[in-house]
């Protein structure tokens, strides 16, 4: 077994190269909406897949060139508008995606032992593109790493400005589909036009949107006096990873019923937010926010098509003073989340699009926990023909919180977030202390007794 999570270096047999679309694609400039190109999304979504059997590299490369015909913006390059360097667009020029091949002297089993909590050394599993800026990195970067046992790791970096989590899953499933059957038809046709989210002229901001703020660049929000986000990032961070089974999530729901009926996401997001706030030991009057992505494909009118290939979400925002989040019960916190979701009507979405026409408006991260849900995207079901992955997740852990699928556990959710090193155990303790659930099969009570040591609190 691997004794350390610090991975050895990958061995590259050849220089990375470009995979281009197998046939000609539209050559034009693709407009990105205000929901696509905001600074909050100017990064790549990095996935890691671990397989026990390698997929034939020639098949992978051929099917990637095939799928890039329909997903051609991923073979293009990001550019700024000539008259506005704050606005992004895609030059659909067919230059291609970067594809790297490597070898790692480890086995899939050795990696599986330590893959639950990503480490900085895992970045070695994705080829690092040397670029002057984010705009110079191709929208799609792929690395396939062969393992000693005959297994493989597939890592992808997909530019978030081009698509959201639903879009990344759609692309990966289509790539896998063509790998298994190169002559088959396209499962879902991607729709690339974003004009449905063009701002009105003149813009009409008709609602209050607490997920955003308008402040001078690089200055803390005066409303709080402390930029908690920046404060946390200034410290050494360690990942916390807690998996909730279906029965444990049901137990959380029962704490809210019968007066409040909640979804799995609502109750788990509320519980996670409360534990995060509690573990940071913040001043009781400090105002904190929970930001979470809300799919608006069916909210906007007319509804977006199934294959809409842009960012089809906006951020919901629940907010309250620390004392209300920590001292209130779970039911009250769930109500805050549900209210935040209910505010995101068709008119509110249009108002947000118009608000973001002002490029000085930023996502308010100064006192926020951001949660992104990957657990309902079917990412763990991606199969290139040699079986489903034995593990999937982000390449690295971040200060943002991810809800991940737990491979092999139906409807289980793995909560992953990075925190200051002296807070991780406390956060995990708070997350687990409510685990007293009925065993569905035997009716036994399962109690999680955890040892908890006092840790130095964060002083705000």
């Amino acid at each position: 077994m691997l004794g350390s999570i610090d991975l050895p270096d990958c061995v590259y047999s050849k220089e990375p190269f470009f995979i281009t679309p197998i046939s000609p694609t539209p050559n034009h400039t693709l407009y990105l909406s205000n929901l696509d190109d905001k600074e909050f999304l100017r990064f790549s979504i990095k996935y890691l897949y671990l397989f026990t059997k390698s997929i034939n590299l020639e098949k992978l490369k051929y099917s990637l060139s095939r799928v890039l015909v329909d997903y051609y913006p991923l073979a293009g390059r990001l550019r700024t508008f000539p008259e506005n360097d704050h606005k992004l667009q895609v030059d659909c020029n067919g230059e291609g995606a970067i594809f790297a091949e490597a070898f790692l002297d480890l086995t899939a089993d050795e990696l599986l032992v330590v893959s639950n909590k990503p480490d900085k050394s895992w970045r070695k599993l994705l080829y690092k593109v040397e670029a002057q800026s984010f705009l110079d990195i191709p929208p799609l970067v792929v690395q396939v790493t062969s393992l000693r046992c005959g297994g493989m790791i597939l890592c992808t970096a997909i530019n978030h400005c081009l698509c959201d989590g639903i879009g990344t899953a759609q692309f990966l499933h289509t790539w896998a589909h063509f790998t298994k059957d190169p002559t088959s038809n396209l499962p879902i046709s991607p729709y690339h036009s974003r004009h449905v989210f063009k701002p009105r002229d003149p813009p009409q901001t008709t609602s209050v949107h607490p997920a955003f703020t308008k402040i001078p660049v690089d200055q803390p929000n005066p409303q709080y006096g402390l930029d908690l986000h920046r404060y946390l990032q200034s410290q050494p961070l360690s990942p916390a990873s807690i998996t909730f089974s279906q029965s444990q999530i049901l137990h959380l729901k029962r704490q809210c019923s019968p007066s409040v009926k909640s979804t799995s996401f609502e109750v788990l997001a509320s519980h996670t937010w409360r534990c995060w706030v509690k573990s940071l030991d913040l001043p009781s009057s400090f105002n904190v926010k929970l930001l979470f992505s809300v799919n608006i494909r069916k909210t906007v009118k007319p509804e977006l098509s199934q294959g809409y290939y842009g960012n089809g979400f906006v951020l919901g925002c629940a907010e309250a003073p620390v004392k209300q989040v920590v001292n209130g019960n779970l039911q009250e916190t769930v109500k805050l989340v549900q209210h935040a979701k209910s505010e995101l009507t068709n008119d509110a979405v249009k108002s947000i699009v118009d608000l973001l026409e002002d490029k000085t408006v930023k996502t308010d991260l100064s006192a926020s926990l951001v949660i992104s849900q990957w657990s309902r995207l079917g990412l763990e079901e991606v199969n290139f023909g040699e079986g489903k992955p034995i593990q999937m997740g982000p390449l690295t852990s971040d200060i943002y919180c991810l809800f991940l699928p737990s491979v092999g556990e139906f409807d289980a959710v793995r909560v992953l977030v990075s925190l200051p090193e002296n807070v991780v155990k406390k956060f995990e303790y708070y997350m687990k202390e409510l685990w007293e659930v009925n065993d569905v099969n035997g009716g036994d009570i399962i109690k999680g007794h955890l040892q908890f040591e006092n840790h130095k609190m964060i002083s705000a």
Side-chain angles (χ1 to χ4, degrees):
M1 275 189 189
L2 191 65
S4 170
I5 58 175
D6 189 28
L7 298 184
D9 291 337
C10 292
V11 177
Y12 293 90
S13 57
K14 62 178 77 170
E15 286 293 317
F17 50 93
F18 290 108
I19 299 286
T20 57
I22 198 170
S23 58
T25 56
N27 189 344
H28 64 88
T29 298
L30 177 67
Y31 167 82
L32 293 180
S33 79
N34 287 343
L35 300 182
D36 291 319
D37 73 348
K38 54 183 180 284
E39 287 192 16
F40 178 65
L41 297 186
R42 295 190 181 189
F43 65 93
S44 293
I45 303 173
K46 298 180 175 68
Y47 293 131
L48 179 148
Y49 282 91
L50 178 60
F51 297 94
T52 56
K53 289 186 179 180
S54 292
I55 298 109
N56 182 279
L57 281 176
E58 295 308 311
K59 282 186 176 181
L60 272 179
K61 289 183 280 190
Y62 178 83
S63 59
L64 181 56
S65 66
R66 167 65 186 86
V67 76
L68 285 177
V69 173
D70 296 285
Y71 290 82
Y72 63 90
L74 291 174
R77 296 295 181 267
L78 277 178
R79 301 284 188 259
T80 58
F81 270 71
E83 64 277 11
N84 184 355
D85 60 4
H86 293 291
K87 184 69 183 170
L88 300 183
Q89 57 189 342
V90 184
D91 180 9
C92 299
N93 54 23
E95 288 187 11
I98 288 184
F99 194 96
E101 301 172 22
F103 173 78
L104 186 66
D105 190 21
L106 291 172
T107 68
D109 287 341
E110 288 172 330
L111 289 166
L112 186 61
V113 172
V114 297
S115 62
N116 202 47
K117 289 188 176 184
D119 179 77
K120 290 181 180 180
S121 68
W122 288 72
R123 294 173 183 169
K124 300 174 183 178
L125 297 171
L126 182 66
Y127 178 73
K128 183 178 180 181
V129 179
E130 297 297 335
Q132 289 187 340
S133 73
F134 168 73
L135 297 180
D136 298 318
I137 300 173
L140 176 61
V141 179
V142 175
Q143 178 169 319
V144 177
T145 305
S146 301
L147 303 172
R148 187 201 316 144
C149 62
M152 65 167 263
I153 299 168
L154 172 67
C155 284
T156 59
I158 303 174
N159 192 299
H160 207 332
C161 291
L162 270 67
C163 60
D164 53 17
I166 292 174
T168 59
Q170 182 180 312
F171 168 77
L172 290 169
H173 277 286
T174 305
W175 182 15
H177 174 80
F178 283 128
T179 305
K180 290 184 289 187
D181 187 359
T183 61
S184 60
N185 295 323
L186 188 69
I188 300 175
S189 296
Y191 181 75
H192 296 296
S193 174
R194 271 83 159 171
H195 285 80
V196 66
F197 288 128
K198 270 213 158 186
R200 292 167 288 194
D201 187 14
Q204 303 169 37
T205 304
T206 56
S207 306
V208 176
H209 303 294
F212 303 98
T213 185
K214 184 176 180 178
I215 57 174
V217 178
D218 296 328
Q219 289 188 21
N221 192 329
Q223 179 183 355
Y224 306 114
L226 165 72
D227 190 327
L228 178 61
H229 179 79
R230 190 175 301 176
Y231 172 68
L232 294 177
Q233 287 191 315
S234 69
Q235 304 179 66
L237 300 176
S238 294
S241 178
I242 308 100
T243 299
F244 284 77
S245 68
Q246 185 181 25
S247 60
Q248 288 163 342
I249 294 173
L250 180 60
H251 176 66
L252 290 175
K253 286 185 177 183
R254 284 175 180 155
Q255 293 187 51
C256 301
S257 62
S259 59
V260 176
K261 292 185 178 180
S262 61
T263 66
S264 295
F265 174 80
E266 289 167 355
V267 72
L268 189 54
S270 300
H271 178 60
T272 302
W273 185 34
R274 295 178 77 221
C275 295
W276 182 81
V277 173
K278 193 175 181 180
S279 66
L280 293 176
D281 193 33
L282 300 168
S284 62
S285 60
F286 192 75
N287 202 56
V288 287
K289 296 183 179 182
L290 172 66
L291 305 183
F292 55 96
S293 54
V294 178
N295 183 3
I296 56 170
R297 282 166 169 77
K298 295 186 182 300
T299 302
V300 296
K301 305 300 179 189
E303 292 184 4
L304 301 183
S305 64
Q306 182 187 17
Y308 179 78
Y309 210 74
N311 284 282
F313 77 94
V314 295
L315 290 174
C317 177
E319 60 178 330
V322 165
K323 58 185 175 184
Q324 182 179 340
V325 176
V326 172
N327 299 329
N329 56 38
L330 182 61
Q331 177 179 306
E332 293 171 351
T333 314
V334 168
K335 286 181 179 179
L336 291 174
V337 173
Q338 291 177 337
H339 176 72
K341 288 174 66 176
S342 70
E343 293 282 288
L344 297 175
T345 62
N346 178 53
D347 288 342
V349 171
K350 291 180 179 179
S351 179
I352 289 172
V353 171
D354 288 357
L355 174 71
L356 293 173
E357 188 70 0
D358 180 351
K359 296 308 176 184
T360 65
V361 171
K362 311 293 182 186
T363 303
D364 186 6
L365 303 176
S366 59
S368 305
L369 173 65
V370 181
I371 296 180
S372 181
Q373 178 165 231
W374 293 10
S375 59
R376 298 290 184 179
L377 301 177
L379 290 165
E380 75 280 14
E381 300 293 324
V382 172
N383 186 342
F384 288 87
E386 296 293 348
K388 295 177 183 178
I390 59 173
Q391 181 63 290
M392 80 77 45
L395 183 63
T396 58
S397 180
D398 195 77
I399 198 167
Y400 302 139
C401 180
L402 297 176
F403 284 3
L404 304 168
S406 182
V407 175
E409 295 183 75
F410 178 73
D411 271 358
V413 178
R414 181 162 65 100
V415 178
L416 178 69
V417 62
S418 283
L419 293 154
E421 293 174 347
N422 64 332
V423 176
V424 170
K425 287 186 178 180
K426 184 162 45 149
F427 172 75
E428 292 179 338
Y429 170 78
Y430 290 139
M431 289 286 281
K432 297 175 183 178
E433 68 176 344
L434 294 177
W435 285 5
E436 184 176 296
V437 297
N438 287 318
D439 184 286
V440 176
N441 296 322
D444 295 327
I445 297 293
I446 303 172
K447 294 184 179 180
H449 294 290
L450 303 168
Q451 296 297 321
F452 174 57
E453 297 180 356
N454 290 326
H455 293 266
K456 184 180 179 181
M457 304 292 188
I458 292 182
S459 174

